[in-house]
Amino acid sequence: MSFTVADLTGDRTEQYQQLVAQAEALVAGEHDRVANAANLSSLVFHALPGLNWVGFYFYDGNELVVGPFQGQPACVRIALGKGVCGTAAQTRETQLVPDVHAFPGHIACDAQTRSEVVIPLVHNDELVGVFDLDSPKPDRFDEIDQAGLESVARAFLSALPS
């Protein structure tokens, strides 16, 4: 299979629509979560500016364990309720954090990270893990990013077996 990442054009909402279409095409017909997480991490990391980490943590029934990602080496295990990822997993709510240093209990896997957005991954009412994006820029993520990245996460979840 050959896949070409197309440049994103238009305003940010249009760019996310294009990114989601690429994500859906990338996972179409593939049900392996590791393969899809690897490809989506790469797609998003290379498509969006100002990121220093994009990846997945998978829930193993006890804690989050690092999965496929792009960026510097990461924390391997994160307890539910700890840091931004653990909070997103425990609450099942997206965490949009403009300044990670102001987030109580932030886990600094990469000291360069200043802002973060984490989307919980829930399939058939079961926690699968989280989709995590970091940036060295404060206030890198906003509601447009949140909505677009939640759509990318839905594309990932739609490819999982029922």
Side-chain angles (χ1 to χ4, degrees):
M1 172 187 106
S2 178
F3 187 87
T4 303
V5 177
D7 290 336
L8 305 178
T9 60
D11 67 25
R12 290 179 53 233
T13 299
E14 293 168 330
Q15 290 177 9
Y16 272 111
Q17 290 168 347
Q18 296 163 33
L19 183 62
V20 170
Q22 290 181 48
E24 290 169 344
L26 195 56
V27 302
E30 180 55 62
H31 300 294
D32 186 275
R33 75 178 186 171
V34 173
N36 286 336
N39 275 332
L40 289 177
S41 295
S42 179
L43 173 69
V44 173
F45 187 80
H46 292 288
L48 298 179
L51 305 177
N52 62 331
W53 203 90
V54 175
F56 290 77
Y57 278 88
F58 292 129
Y59 182 58
D60 70 358
N62 184 46
E63 61 192 347
L64 297 171
V65 181
V66 71
F69 67 90
Q70 298 281 309
Q72 294 294 320
C75 301
V76 175
R77 296 179 183 278
I78 299 174
L80 294 188
K82 300 295 182 188
V84 182
C85 289
T87 299
Q90 185 175 56
T91 64
R92 296 186 179 196
E93 295 177 359
T94 296
Q95 301 296 304
L96 184 63
V97 182
D99 179 2
V100 295
H101 299 297
F103 189 90
H106 172 253
I107 301 168
C109 296
D110 182 344
Q112 300 302 313
T113 295
R114 294 292 310 277
S115 60
E116 187 170 6
V117 60
V118 182
I119 296 97
L121 302 170
V122 179
H123 183 65
N124 294 333
D125 214 28
E126 297 289 325
L127 179 65
V128 174
V130 298
F131 180 40
D132 180 21
L133 291 88
D134 296 352
S135 175
K137 300 177 181 182
D139 292 311
R140 163 61 182 85
F141 306 104
D142 62 17
E143 289 77 16
I144 293 172
D145 296 298
Q146 179 176 338
L149 294 166
E150 287 174 343
S151 293
V152 171
R154 281 192 295 278
F156 171 78
L157 291 168
S158 72
L160 294 177
S162 294

